[in-house]
């Protein structure tokens, strides 16, 4: 049976996992040349130079002078898992989810996929098209809603997003929905505008739904590498985040951006999104991800 990375993330498998296997399978003696090759692979996989060096220094401090390649791999797995294995307890009781992220990161698609999971569990789900600045966003969300059996609420093009979200929250309460998923605007040109818009939306949602736990998830495009890291840092600076969704993970041959994003934001990755299918998402499990990334 193929593992998730080998089956769904073939580019990552071919670009990193298989090369790790070749490196560890081709040596019997661990020396500085071996560590130099390992460092090169990790940096190429988007872990970042600084973090790669920190991880390797920690590995070296924990192994014996006569360590075998298998010992290195085991220690590397433990350390990388520790780096990204953060609790996501704030999502446990949340019935209201606010999706944030710049346009093109797969925010609307993830909202539809996540809603599909809830619908399959027999839940009544409302999707709110709060991204009124992008002409196709409400239509895209409506298509998802029709496909999966959810309900969508959309305002008019260029309408104030907060007004649409206000009405959507009222619908959520009055019609007895189990879950509310809000797709927010992603076309924000400056950090100040981003902060103001997100604060306004959060005030509106909090006022309409004072007793609800509201989870804010950020979508991060895995294909953009270090640019994705910069986006994650910007959003983390402007609004409290409860979790990160790594999208388009099947379109990159690297797979290491998750480590850089978690390292810089201290926010847990909670889902992986890949492909175009309704079921193409998976809850993020740090130990399983690291194990498959290193061992295939």
């Amino acid at each position: 049976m193929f593992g998730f990375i080998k089956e769904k993330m073939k580019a990552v498998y071919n670009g990193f996992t298989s090369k790790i296997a070749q490196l560890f399978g081709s040596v019997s003696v661990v020396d500085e040349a071996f560590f130099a090759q390992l460092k090169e692979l990790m940096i190429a996989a988007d872990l970042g130079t600084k973090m790669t060096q920190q991880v390797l220094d920690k590995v070296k401090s924990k192994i014996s002078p006569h360590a075998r390649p298998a010992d290195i791999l085991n220690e590397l797995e433990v350390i990388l898992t520790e780096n990204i294995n953060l609790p996501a307890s704030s999502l446990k009781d949340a019935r209201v989810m606010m999706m944030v992220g710049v346009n093109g990161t797969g925010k609307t698609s993830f909202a539809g996929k996540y809603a599909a999971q809830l619908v399959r569990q027999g839940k009544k789900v409302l999707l709110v098209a709060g991204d009124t600045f992008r002409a196709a966003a409400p239509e895209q969300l409506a298509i998802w809603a029709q496909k999966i059996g959810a309900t969508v609420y959309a305002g008019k093009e260029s309408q104030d997003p907060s007004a649409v979200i206000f009405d959507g929250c009222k619908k959520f309460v009055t019609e007895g929905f189990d879950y509310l998923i809000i797709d927010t605007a992603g076309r924000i040109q400056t950090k100040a505008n981003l902060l103001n818009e997100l604060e306004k939306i959060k005030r509106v949602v909090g006022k309409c739904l004072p007793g609800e736990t509201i989870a804010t998830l950020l979508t991060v495009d895995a294909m953009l590498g270090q640019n994705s890291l910069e986006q994650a840092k910007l959003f983390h600076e402007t609004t409290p985040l409860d979790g990160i969704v790594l999208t388009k993970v099947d379109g990159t041959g690297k797979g290491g951006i998750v480590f850089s994003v978690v390292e810089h934001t201290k926010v847990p990755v909670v889902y992986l999104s890949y492909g175009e299918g309704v079921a193409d998402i998976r809850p993020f499990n740090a130990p399983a991800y690291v194990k498959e990334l290193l061992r295939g």
Side-chain angles (χ1 to χ4, degrees), residues 5 75 79:
I5 285 179
E75 199 59 55
I79 292 169

Side-chain angles (χ1 to χ4, degrees), residues 2 9-10 14 18 43 45 64 66 82 84 86 104 115 130 132 153 157 198 226 234 239 243 248 270:
F2 285 128
M9 298 169 60
K10 294 178 181 177
N14 293 330
S18 63
I43 292 174
S64 71
H66 305 293
E82 289 174 348
I84 60 171
L86 302 183
T132 59
Y153 180 81
E157 185 176 336
L198 293 179
Q226 295 304 306
L234 171 62
T239 186
K248 307 179 187 180
V270 292

